[in-house]
Each structure stands twice: as structure tokens, then as C-alpha cells.
């Protein structure tokens, strides 16, 4: 500790001396360069964090868009099923079957956006199984 105090005092005396102008300019330049390096590191770490957050945001938005499409497909499928049961028109049955196949592809699309083994992935699997059970045990037998 005593050694550090001596070095600090020597440095202060050296900086106060008038005959070491070039040394002080050099020290100031080195301090400026070090400050720029520190700022560059801070900005780069901030940008990389923003990039990671941006990728997460894009993934979340894609997931929400796909969920919105699934919701719309389920509603249209239910409406086609109901309309077929009420009217008996084959056009509604065809629409029901088309929506069922589109819904399967949407479930696959959503599954590709989620990481395997994650909680949302497991919830999606449960919802998909429940939907398939509804289709197999309730919707199709009523047709």
C-alpha cells in the first residue's frame, strides 16, 4: 500500500513539472483512447443485447400471428360444421374438411416456431390433441 502511495505522489509531481509537457500530452491521449475503447465496448454490448431482444420480439410476433390464424380457422371450421348440420349442404361440409386440413398445417407451423420441450410447446401439444379428440369423437360422428 505504501508503494502505491509513493507512485501516486511521484505521478502527481511528474504531472506538475513544467518540463514534461510531452509526457502529459501522451498520457492525456492514452486516457482518451482508453475512454473511447470503454465506450465502444459498452455500445457493442448494448447493440448485441438489442439484437437478441429483436429476434425474440420477431419470434413472439410470428407466434401471435399464427395463433390468430389458428383462432380464425377454428371459428370458420366450427361455423361450417354448424351450418352443415343446420342446412345439410355439401358446400359447408367441404369447407369444414378444408379448414380441418388447413388447421393441421397451422398447428405444424406454430410447432416449428416453439422450441421442443418448452412449456408453450407442451401446451400446444395438449391443445392439438384436444382438438383432434373433438374432431374425431364429436364433430365427424355428427356429420
Amino acid at each position: 500500500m505504501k508503494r502505491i502511495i509513493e507512485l501516486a505522489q511521484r505521478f502527481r509531481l511528474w504531472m506538475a513539472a513544467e518540463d514534461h509537457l510531452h509526457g502529459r500530452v501522451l498520457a492525456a491521449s492514452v486516457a482518451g483512447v482508453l475512454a473511447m475503447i470503454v465506450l465502444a465496448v459498452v455500445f457493442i454490448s448494448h447493440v448485441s443485447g438489442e439484437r437478441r431482444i429483436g429476434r425474440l420480439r420477431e419470434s413472439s410476433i410470428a407466434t401471435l400471428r399464427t395463433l390468430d390464424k389458428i383462432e380464425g380457422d377454428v371459428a370458420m371450421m366450427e361455423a361450417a360444421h354448424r351450418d352443415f348440420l343446420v342446412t345439410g349442404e355439401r358446400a359447408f361440409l367441404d369447407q369444414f374438411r378444408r379448414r380441418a386440413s388447413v388447421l393441421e398445417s397451422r398447428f405444424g407451423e406454430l410447432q416449428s416456431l416453439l422450441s421442443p420441450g418448452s412449456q408453450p410447446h407442451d401446451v400446444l401439444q395438449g391443445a392439438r390433441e384436444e382438438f383432434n379428440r373433438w374432431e374425431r369423437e364429436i364433430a365427424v360422428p355428427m356429420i
Side-chain angles (χ1 to χ4, degrees):
M1 184 70 176
K2 188 175 182 181
R3 174 105 172 125
I4 294 173
I5 293 172
E6 286 178 21
L7 285 174
Q9 287 174 349
R10 271 195 187 154
F11 182 72
R12 187 177 53 83
L13 290 173
W14 178 73
M15 290 297 281
E18 292 184 21
D19 58 341
H20 297 293
L21 178 63
H22 297 297
R24 286 186 285 190
V25 170
L26 179 63
S29 298
V30 168
V33 168
L34 288 176
M36 285 187 262
I37 289 172
V38 167
L39 286 174
V41 168
V42 167
F43 289 143
I44 288 172
S45 66
H46 178 71
V47 167
S48 73
E50 286 292 321
R51 186 174 297 147
R52 184 176 44 84
I53 291 171
R55 284 192 303 263
L56 182 61
R57 184 181 315 117
E58 289 172 11
S59 173
S60 297
I61 289 172
T63 301
L64 289 173
R65 284 186 180 146
T66 305
L67 282 170
D68 186 48
K69 291 176 187 177
I70 287 174
E71 183 182 10
D73 289 338
V74 167
M76 293 176 81
M77 187 177 173
E78 289 174 340
H81 183 255
R82 181 195 63 235
D83 291 343
F84 175 74
L85 293 176
V86 170
T87 65
E89 290 183 31
R90 302 254 334 139
F92 292 120
L93 181 60
D94 293 338
Q95 184 181 7
F96 172 81
R97 290 185 176 142
R98 272 195 317 273
R99 286 294 163 196
S101 65
V102 166
L103 201 54
E104 273 303 311
S105 68
R106 297 254 197 246
F107 275 128
E109 180 183 340
L110 184 59
Q111 194 169 9
S112 70
L113 293 172
L114 302 174
S115 58
S118 65
Q119 182 183 3
H121 187 270
D122 296 342
V123 169
L124 174 64
Q125 282 301 106
R128 189 177 198 174
E129 289 169 7
E130 190 64 28
F131 176 77
N132 287 335
R133 187 187 66 75
W134 171 80
E135 185 179 18
R136 183 179 61 251
E137 296 176 8
I138 297 171
V140 173
M142 292 177 85
I143 295 176

